[in-house]
Amino acid sequence: MSELWEGLTQAFWLVVTLDADLVGITLRSLRVTLTALILASAIALPLAAFLAVRRFRMRRLTIAVLNALMGLPPVVVGLIVYVFLSRAGPLGVLGLLFTPTAMVIAQVIIIVPLIASVAHQSLRELWAEYHDLLISMNTTQTQRIATLLWDGRRALLTAALAGFGRGIGEVGAIMIVGGNIDQVTRVLTTAIALETGKGNFALALGLGFVLIALAVAVNLAIHWLSRTETEGRW
Amino acid sequence: MSELFPLTVQGAKVQRRGKVLLGPVDLTLEGQGVTVVIGPNGAGKTSLLKMLHGIVRLSAGKVTWACGQTEAQRRQGFVFQAPVMLRRTVLENLTYPLQLANMAKPEAMARAKDWTQRIGLGDAQTRQATVLSGGERQKLALARALIRDPDVLFLDEPCASLDGRAMREIEEILQAAAKSGTRIIMSTHDMGQARRLATEVIFILRGKVHEFAQAGAFFNSAQTVQAREFLNGDIVE
Ligand SMILES: Nc1ncnc2c1ncn2[C@@H]1O[C@H](COP(=O)(O)OP(=O)(O)O)[C@@H](O)[C@H]1O
Ligand SMILES: [Mg+2]
């Protein structure tokens, strides 16, 4: 019990004194997940809008597949990306395994279905509202998608934040494809796993605090966004 | 710019799940005046307007504009019974159709501001359109449809559930638009409004055009029994 208490106080000091290791790992985590988030949003948001406005034969199937992919275990995604990037794999020549890029790729695959699915839910509602007007105004497909993305931006931000939360807290996939190399691919979650294993509770807890703070901040932001959404102000 | 009218409707039919909602309709509309569509609830007024506007699929027949469908579509506006408010400010709702037409921003802004004055929303330019009252929404939807200077304006019961003042404001805007040459085709369930605005009347019953006549002739001496009953306020089914 006293060991835990000691760990807690040490962790507290690591955080307030901005310990170099802790800051480095946190920044790396943010860099990887934010990069993945930007790429994933660039794919998922237009896809969600497209699925909302366009009736095509494979639409239902595409949505079903997206929803199924949302439940994909990250470890398995990590394994698949590993196989592709490993030296014998089809993309082995790129030499990406055990680099932050590999981690970004894995995270993009994990959060695209989540963001697309959540975004599609709200854009579908918005489209139902706008449908008659935009058809009547003789808009092009691109104009419809742009209008939905712009007017639905708060809901889309919520979807993106959910993706961020999933990415930043994910450990299985990035452990496999990143390899948890000190100063290179070690991020918050993999560092916590490692330091806990080594019995180094102070650093593990300090990293845990940061992770919790990020998660809480994201959820508060989502909560705030959905509240302003229902009140119809921005 | 070529002529939009006459608008010719030949054997046009609208169906949903096998049920005929409208038609077959045969009709020719000429290029002047205000056409008012009246008839009991569920008779097919909304369906007729949407069909003429070209936003419902025909299951038979055709609707032909003199200038061709593509150009006709660009020159029409439609105000829905329950106006659709973009989740934007009043001003942005008005600039939206102008942006679609690639108008330069300063000019679009100037036009939008001018229209907010005309519809009495000059003080509400930066308010979210979604928080407007029913009458304000209807006026905004009307201005948004008129801001591109359409040659034809469709309105589906524009004054349903509005108070007298909002109704008068809307009718004034409509009359000004009609005077400046906009062809108006609208439905209403308010016979007073029909008498004030109409130059010709389409009386529609059970999905069919039951009577189509000049306004004066229609209101003074409707040809069909059902139309006379309807004008008397009797229940017509
Ligand atoms: N989307 C729809 N699906 C099935 N039936 C519909 C639909 N829209 C309208 N109807 C039916 O079509 C008929 C005509 O409707 P409508 O054109 O809205 O009449 P009005 O505007 O004169 O009240 C009504 O019987 C209505 O119930
Ligand atoms: Mg109707």
Side-chain angles (χ1 to χ4, degrees), chain B residues 15-17 19-22 37-50 81 156-157 187 204 207:
Chain B
Q15 273 176 315
R16 279 281 158 85
R17 290 189 214 94
K19 195 182 143 223
V20 178
L21 304 190
L22 183 71
V37 181
I38 60 173
N41 276 333
K45 301 182 291 295
T46 302
S47 305
L48 178 68
L49 294 176
K50 286 186 172 175
Q81 181 169 1
D156 191 10
E157 304 204 20
S187 70
I204 184 162

Side-chain angles (χ1 to χ4, degrees), chain B residues 77-218:
Chain B
F78 198 108
V79 179
F80 295 93
Q81 181 169 1
V84 182
M85 292 291 103
L86 294 172
R87 296 184 191 173
R88 304 182 178 200
T89 64
V90 168
L91 217 48
E92 286 162 347
N93 264 270
L94 291 170
T95 52
Y96 182 77
L98 301 177
Q99 280 169 358
L100 291 180
N102 293 318
M103 184 182 285
K105 203 158 187 187
E107 196 194 336
M109 264 309 192
R111 272 218 214 180
K113 283 185 177 156
D114 176 42
W115 268 104
T116 59
Q117 303 295 343
R118 281 200 243 178
I119 57 175
L121 288 177
D123 296 333
Q125 289 179 347
T126 56
R127 235 193 300 159
Q128 285 295 316
T130 43
V131 302
L132 296 178
S133 73
E136 291 168 333
R137 281 165 176 249
Q138 199 59 261
K139 283 188 289 181
L140 181 57
L142 178 56
R144 190 179 54 198
L146 281 172
I147 201 165
R148 272 212 279 193
D149 290 329
D151 294 320
V152 189
L153 179 65
F154 293 97
L155 303 106
D156 191 10
E157 304 204 20
C159 298
S161 72
L162 293 192
D163 63 17
R165 181 158 155 250
M167 188 187 295
R168 203 184 61 232
E169 289 171 337
I170 285 174
E171 286 185 15
E172 279 166 10
I173 297 170
L174 289 180
Q175 257 148 356
K179 197 176 281 176
S180 71
T182 307
R183 182 73 169 87
I184 291 174
I185 303 173
M186 61 182 285
S187 70
T188 182
H189 65 259
D190 181 324
M191 285 312 112
Q193 180 169 64
R195 283 169 199 271
R196 285 191 295 276
L197 297 177
T199 57
E200 60 184 9
V201 176
I202 296 175
F203 175 61
I204 184 162
L205 190 62
R206 281 183 244 107
K208 298 236 169 54
V209 175
H210 203 74
E211 192 162 340
F212 176 35
Q214 292 300 308
F218 182 83

Side-chain angles (χ1 to χ4, degrees), chain A:
Chain A
M1 194 62 212
S2 71
E3 201 179 324
L4 193 68
W5 181 245
E6 214 169 285
L8 272 174
T9 42
Q10 274 184 34
F12 177 75
W13 283 113
L14 285 178
V15 173
V16 294
T17 58
L18 297 177
D19 174 75
D21 273 350
L22 186 119
V23 170
I25 290 170
T26 304
L27 289 181
R28 194 170 306 115
S29 242
L30 284 173
R31 201 161 57 233
V32 167
T33 301
L34 286 176
T35 310
L37 181 64
I38 290 167
L39 293 175
S41 299
I43 299 167
L45 300 182
L47 174 64
F50 180 80
L51 288 173
V53 302
R54 183 69 188 263
R55 309 270 137 199
F56 56 97
R57 207 154 356 120
M58 303 292 275
R59 189 173 148 273
R60 278 178 178 284
L61 183 67
T62 313
I63 293 166
V65 168
L66 267 184
N67 286 331
L69 285 178
M70 209 166 42
L72 211 60
V75 178
V76 177
V77 173
L79 176 62
I80 294 166
V81 174
Y82 184 97
V83 169
F84 270 80
L85 296 182
S86 66
R87 207 172 312 154
L91 301 176
V93 286
L94 300 177
L96 289 177
L97 199 59
F98 305 136
T99 65
T101 309
M103 297 155 76
V104 169
I105 293 172
Q107 290 208 338
V108 166
I109 295 173
I110 291 166
I111 64 182
V112 159
L114 175 69
I115 297 179
S117 191
V118 175
H120 176 249
Q121 295 282 340
S122 50
L123 290 186
R124 200 177 48 181
E125 276 170 37
L126 189 58
W127 177 240
E129 204 177 305
Y130 281 10
H131 176 273
D132 285 355
L133 180 70
L134 297 196
I135 298 284
S136 155
M137 284 187 169
N138 209 13
T139 46
T140 64
Q141 181 109 314
T142 319
Q143 287 170 333
R144 288 172 198 171
I145 289 176
T147 303
L148 286 193
L149 289 177
W150 178 250
D151 287 8
R153 60 194 180 279
R154 265 179 302 186
L156 298 184
L157 200 50
T158 308
L161 282 170
F164 178 82
R166 176 118 197 245
I168 198 89
E170 196 280 318
V171 55
I174 52 173
M175 182 76 97
I176 295 178
V177 302
N180 197 20
I181 303 164
D182 193 17
Q183 308 291 342
V184 184
T185 58
R186 184 162 303 164
V187 292
L188 285 168
T189 50
T190 55
I192 290 173
L194 180 76
E195 300 301 337
T196 308
K198 289 200 302 195
N200 192 356
F201 291 119
L203 185 53
L205 280 170
L207 295 162
F209 288 158
V210 174
L211 197 53
I212 289 170
L214 284 173
V216 168
V218 164
N219 281 297
L220 284 178
I222 290 178
H223 177 77
W224 178 78
L225 277 171
S226 55
R227 218 192 51 206
T228 54
E229 172 91 46
T230 50
E231 286 170 11
R233 62 186 166 84
W234 174 236

